[in-house]
Each structure stands twice: as C-alpha cells, then as structure tokens.
Amino acid sequence: MNGVFTIENMRPIRDGMTISRDSMLGTVNKVTFFSLGKDTSISQESYDRMTMYIGAAGSGEFLLGEEPDIVTLLPDSAVIVPEKTLCGMQTDNGLVYTEIILNKENIMNKNVKANEVFALKDLISYEEGSIANMDVVSNPTMKYVLMAFDKGTGLTPHRAPGNAIVFALDGKATIGYEGKDYEISAGECFHFEKNGLHSVTANERFKMALLLVLE
C-alpha cells in the first residue's frame, strides 16, 4: 500500500473465487480486504466482536441474523454488525469490501444503527470555511472517523500515532506525505505509516473516512 491506491486493485475480483487479504494494519482490530467473484457467497458465521463492513466495488447482499434480514452493500457504504450476530454474503456480479473485526470496547455514534446500511458521505455535512469531524466507531486501539473539508481548508503537516488509511468519499484533495504531494479523488485510498508526516488540503469540497489503528 504505497501512494494512492484502490481496495479493488489491492484485491481484484476473480471469477468463481472468494479471496481475502490481511491489511497488516493491526492485530487487536483485524482489518481484511475481501473480494467475492460473480455468483459466489460466504456462509453465515458470527464473531464474538462487533464487525464493520465497508463497500469498495461492485455490490452484494449481506444476510444478517438467524431468519436473515437482507441488506445491500454498495461502494462507500457500510454496515455494522453486533457481536454474536450471524452474517453471510452473496453477490451476483462481484463485490469488494473491507472487514474490520473490532476490539470489544467500542463506542458507536448515535447517528449510526447496527444492521442497517448507511452511505458514509451522507453522515457528515460540509460547513462553510471549516473542517467537520465525526467519529463513526472507536475503541482504545482504533478510530473510524469521517471528515468534511470546505474548499481550501486542510490539515497542517502532522504525525499520527498509528497506521492509517484514508478513504476518499467525495471531491478531490492533495495529500502531502513525507515531502511528496499526491492528488486523491473519490473512490481512492491512501496509506499512512505510523508517525509518517502528512497533510491534507481540499482542492474542492472533499469528504473522507479515516481508519486509524493505534496498536
């Protein structure tokens, strides 16, 4: 994960196969990239911890509970599944997503409901001349945060105490990382190493999600 990338390119869809790839971001909060090929599925199973799924490409159905409710996951949408809840996946045309198995001590934003798909960029609004932040879910070793930048606003160069991935949701921005500039657009991602010097400047109105793993 160097420079600008997409989850789909990290873990491309292969016909007839389901494939997973460890992100190597952490161990307490397990972050894995998945791809499901056309007409494939993963049987229902449950974890003893809350789990978050974030769509990256394609589309698929998630089957939640013993008498399953069916919800559709699309790119840049997410669903949070409570602990000990059966969850399976199926797709007709292929699906790429990120799975985050969370630590047990989680705080979830009251605007987010479990077992319901939500569009990430719709959870947070642009504020004139400002940068808006909203924690979606967090625990002592992980934060998943939404940010909305008005045009021309940005974060000055700083270092984070953990590995992080930026998921661009809307608009364009320039990411400065260790002395180089990278333009990032909706649908693309960027990886920061722990203590890597970085900045974000909105070239136009820009929304992003930040997954920060503090372990």
Side-chain angles (χ1 to χ4, degrees):
M1 293 185 292
N2 294 315
V4 177
F5 69 96
T6 66
I7 305 299
E8 183 178 14
N9 286 339
M10 288 281 295
R11 185 52 279 138
I13 293 171
R14 304 298 187 203
D15 286 346
M17 300 172 66
T18 63
I19 308 172
S20 62
R21 176 173 176 166
D22 189 348
S23 71
M24 309 300 289
L25 290 178
T27 56
V28 176
N29 303 276
K30 184 71 171 177
V31 181
T32 307
F33 305 133
F34 277 84
S35 69
L36 278 66
K38 179 180 176 182
D39 296 321
T40 63
S41 63
I42 296 176
S43 300
Q44 279 191 306
E45 57 188 12
S46 65
Y47 294 113
D48 289 340
R49 296 189 281 173
M50 182 185 290
T51 309
M52 184 174 183
Y53 299 93
I54 306 159
S59 64
E61 296 178 330
F62 276 55
L63 291 73
L64 306 175
E66 292 185 9
E67 296 182 3
D69 292 326
I70 298 176
V71 298
T72 300
L73 191 72
L74 298 171
D76 297 329
S77 66
V79 61
I80 294 177
V81 179
E83 62 184 34
K84 303 185 187 300
T85 300
L86 286 171
C87 178
M89 306 84 178
Q90 60 190 25
T91 179
D92 294 332
N93 58 8
L95 173 67
V96 180
Y97 63 89
T98 301
E99 176 191 76
I100 308 172
I101 303 175
L102 302 167
N103 189 3
K104 290 195 173 184
E105 304 171 17
N106 298 295
I107 300 171
M108 194 163 75
N109 191 291
K110 292 181 180 179
N111 292 325
V112 176
K113 306 298 181 185
N115 291 340
E116 293 183 7
V117 173
F118 50 92
L120 289 164
K121 69 179 182 180
D122 292 345
L123 288 180
I124 191 167
S125 62
Y126 289 112
E127 302 296 331
E128 185 176 355
S130 304
I131 302 170
N133 293 263
M134 184 185 122
D135 285 5
V136 176
V137 62
S138 61
N139 62 49
T141 55
M142 186 280 303
K143 288 175 72 73
Y144 191 83
V145 184
L146 298 177
M147 303 183 72
F149 298 76
D150 199 8
K151 181 179 178 180
T153 63
L155 304 176
T156 56
H158 63 285
R159 302 180 191 274
N163 285 303
I165 295 179
V166 164
F167 300 79
L169 303 173
D170 186 46
K172 294 182 179 180
T174 297
I175 291 180
Y177 184 67
E178 294 293 349
K180 294 184 179 181
D181 288 339
Y182 303 84
E183 187 172 277
I184 187 170
S185 301
E188 297 177 327
C189 302
F190 196 94
H191 174 222
F192 301 128
E193 295 281 355
K194 181 178 180 179
N195 293 321
L197 184 65
H198 63 277
S199 62
V200 179
T201 303
N203 302 334
E204 57 191 49
R205 283 189 155 189
F206 177 67
K207 290 182 181 180
M208 70 180 217
L210 174 70
L211 172 63
L212 177 62
V213 179
L214 302 164
E215 56 174 282

